[in-house]
Amino acid sequence: MSSEYSPVVPHPRPVPWGWTLAEALLGGGAAATMLDLFPLGLLARTVACGALVIALVLIDGFTRMLRAGSGLERSMRQLVIGGLTLLVIVLAVTATPLTAPAPVRWGLVAAVAVGLFLELRWDKRVQVERARAVAAQVAAQQK
């Protein structure tokens, strides 16, 4: 390496499950707003969903940066699985009619939250493992 900069923190740590739960709840909240489970107008529903998704992305980015490092990109496997997860969520929410009974829509919201939680926990675990491997390489090169 030509510089001492490392894209990972010196000692990567796992992301606490509470942060992942917060992300999953934000994603479930975004799905609930788009499924018209809260009495909002179209503009308010769109703004609320956007704000929830932005909060989810910010929490994901900050926890990833603080725990694993800022310069380590996701692997192709992580990108494909994350993209497919989001595609399934968007298709399921889009395909569910707003006239469906509320318990069905709430069930979909719960499924979205659980699915996001599982995918994000896996994604963060893989990212921290990759960060640990890079940190070990950097430490070995500096010796």
Side-chain angles (χ1 to χ4, degrees):
M1 292 181 119
S2 59
S3 72
E4 293 188 22
Y5 171 76
S6 173
V8 298
V9 294
H11 304 287
R13 302 178 318 260
V15 176
W17 66 268
W19 287 107
T20 310
L21 179 62
E23 291 176 75
L25 292 175
L26 288 168
T33 59
M34 294 314 292
L35 288 169
D36 203 23
L37 289 167
F38 301 115
L40 302 171
L42 180 61
L43 179 61
R45 192 171 17 154
T46 304
V47 169
C49 181
L52 290 168
V53 169
I54 288 170
L56 187 155
V57 169
L58 287 175
I59 289 173
D60 183 61
F62 283 121
T63 56
R64 185 178 303 274
M65 181 179 66
L66 293 172
R67 296 298 182 141
S70 61
L72 187 62
E73 297 87 9
R74 286 179 166 103
S75 68
M76 184 57 71
R77 182 175 172 209
Q78 287 173 280
L79 290 172
V80 168
I81 290 175
L84 289 175
T85 302
L86 291 177
L87 179 64
V88 167
I89 289 170
V90 168
L91 290 176
V93 169
T94 305
T96 303
L98 298 180
T99 56
V104 170
R105 292 183 286 157
W106 279 114
L108 179 58
V109 168
V112 165
V114 169
L116 274 175
F117 182 81
L118 294 174
E119 193 277 331
L120 290 168
R121 286 302 294 167
W122 170 82
D123 182 63
K124 286 175 175 49
R125 182 180 47 80
V126 169
Q127 194 73 2
V128 168
E129 288 171 1
R130 292 180 64 230
R132 285 182 176 152
V134 171
Q137 282 180 340
V138 169
Q141 287 177 352
Q142 290 177 350
K143 288 183 179 180

